[in-house]
Amino acid sequence: MKTITLKQIAEELNISVTTVSKALKDYPDVSKKTRQRVLDLAKDLNYIPNSFAVSLRMQQSKTIGVIVPATVHHFFSNVIKGILKEAEKKDYLVILLHSNENYELEKKQVDLLISKGVDGILISLSNKTNNFEHLQKIIDHDIPLVLFDKIAKTVKCSKVIVDDRKAAYDVVSHLIKKGHRRIAHFRGDLNPQNSIDRFLGYKQALLDHDIDFDPTLVYMCNNNSDFEDGYSNAEKLLKDHGKTIDAIFTITDVIAIGIIKYFTDHNIKIPEDIALFGFSNWFMASVISPALSSVEQHGYEMGEKSAHIVFQEIDSKHNDMPIEPQIVVLPTELIIRDSC
Amino acid sequence: MKTITLKQIAEELNISVTTVSKALKDYPDVSKKTRQRVLDLAKDLNYIPNSFAVSLRMQQSKTIGVIVPATVHHFFSNVIKGILKEAEKKDYLVILLHSNENYELEKKQVDLLISKGVDGILISLSNKTNNFEHLQKIIDHDIPLVLFDKIAKTVKCSKVIVDDRKAAYDVVSHLIKKGHRRIAHFRGDLNPQNSIDRFLGYKQALLDHDIDFDPTLVYMCNNNSDFEDGYSNAEKLLKDHGKTIDAIFTITDVIAIGIIKYFTDHNIKIPEDIALFGFSNWFMASVISPALSSVEQHGYEMGEKSAHIVFQEIDSKHNDMPIEPQIVVLPTELIIRDSC
DNA sequence: TTGTAGGCGTTATCAT
DNA sequence: ATGATAACGCCTACAA
């Protein structure tokens, strides 16, 4: 099937390219008759505008770029879903890139996206990213940028996040209210803000309830397999502290599931011996035994909202009425199940 | 930051655009000195070629499109990961689209992809798709097309699949060898080939082992929540057949997990009372109790391979040496755990 | 109401 | 070794 251009339609109809173009775009200054002839033939020939030409001419691509560490996490899958849904509504296409938690890759992908002329960019930062020049570059190029979930506070752009600190605070407060006092925390990498914020929320909750913070109760999970981290740290925890521990708050459901596995294997009862609270409310949390209490993060909504904001910024940039970056904090919810 | 074009570099250096372009592309007919001056300035100015112009000129976008029903399934996440990895290697970008198991949407998205001028398209068909005109359109446009996992046998293009029939056959044979005779099958929608093939494998295995096929042992899972389907059909199965059932083979791990939940809730022992075999080897399969036996489908490799093939086809199209569609059947593996 | 002409940024052909 | 020119396909200000 040969690709149809305006020129071919024009020749066929013995009119100018201009008129064809105008007819197709519903310009008022085309006679009804001509317009109809053009429309008919275009449909007949299955005319599709060449988007490269349009983009070149219009300086916009109707495409946005998205960079996430990975989509194998249920949370990000949901975010992507929200983004795609929103893009679909606006007739935008989405270019998806995985940084694989790799800063260099993330940087390269930003360059790629810029060079592709995407109209906007959404990023959830890799855990390894602590240099933000590449983000600044996006801003310098005047491309709307929205950071979501894993953000950099210092970068001047819109952000969509969850109040990790508060969520963690709520979790630990809940645990304390349930009577637990020796509460361990399985945290994530030192770098990403989420990990820090959740840790801070944990600490604050202890403080506010007059429980001394004990650093030996904090375990680091960073060997790239959350499940393994949970399993092995559960073992370590027991070795270190025996059963003096009342509860564990994990930074991620998968870590909690690793713990469940270890506890099940070693006959430790949840929540009787040790209570457990996860984070992210992964689908599995509701399904595993015991059903895992967790924090719902509303990934889908985060995707929707993030996309919504870039589109807003794209539109207002187009109208020459640039708007200020906005920071949206999505609510979280404690989902209480059987594990605490 | 203003966008830099060849023209600007040319003016700055007082040479022609042509020379700048050549210098940047390492043409041999540019003096060393000129080339260096161009290269330096380009780097200095942070020159990025305008990809619309390049695409328009070159008639290729260095972009491929991917349509999947959804990525919230672990399997597809893995496929996507494989595709992105492969694309990254070839410096291609990937436009991701979700059909949401919706034929109309799938069709629309194909049009979008065509109009965007992607160099190749990968699709895993929606369950609702049983008209393939949109695929034919892709082929007519001479755009390399690869179908993976959920394919249409009659469409003349490359395909990457798994031998679902054999995999199912192997599962059921294994179950029979273990001594089970009354084996139920929780199958999927009637439409997708996979569902049919797995059912056929199930039936064939029974036949080959002299077990009568009993249609009342086959349950349909199609209300869009696999977990719920598993749970409710487990209930139905027990109501219909009591504990005369030896084993259940499910078309998907999530269905099996629904069953596990129901059985756990109702004190039915797996595998003592009823054995269980899943499909897809979702991460959770290894982690749930009892650990679920399943079929490893190698999603990541499927993604890699599919992408590899489109790139092959794109390249050979470019060299005017079109190649024949190929059909790749990836091996599957029975992963035996505790549930059978 | 219709058409001409210029330009978006790049690349390729052909002169010089 | 360098450059003028045309072309990719589309849009739009301006002329006719």
Side-chain angles (χ1 to χ4, degrees), chain B residues 126-184:
Chain B
S126 117
N127 282 343
K128 302 282 163 34
T129 301
N130 40 31
N131 175 329
F132 309 123
E133 284 168 33
H134 57 315
L135 306 182
Q136 192 52 49
K137 195 166 170 186
I138 297 175
I139 298 170
D140 289 345
H141 275 269
D142 206 22
I143 301 173
L145 167 67
V146 177
L147 257 25
F148 63 91
D149 196 50
K150 313 247 205 133
I151 67 162
K153 287 197 171 161
T154 54
V155 177
K156 194 166 175 294
C157 67
S158 289
K159 288 150 201 160
V160 180
I161 48 173
V162 128
D163 191 340
D164 282 297
R165 188 159 171 172
K166 175 176 176 303
Y169 185 91
D170 290 345
V171 167
V172 178
S173 299
H174 173 86
L175 253 16
I176 296 172
K177 234 162 270 160
K178 283 273 208 164
H180 305 299
R181 318 241 349 135
R182 295 278 291 168
I183 302 173

Side-chain angles (χ1 to χ4, degrees), chain B residues 6 18 21 25 27 47 50 53 57:
Chain B
L6 292 184
T18 307
S21 172
K25 316 224 81 181
Y27 268 57
Y47 167 72
N50 179 313
R57 188 61 235 252

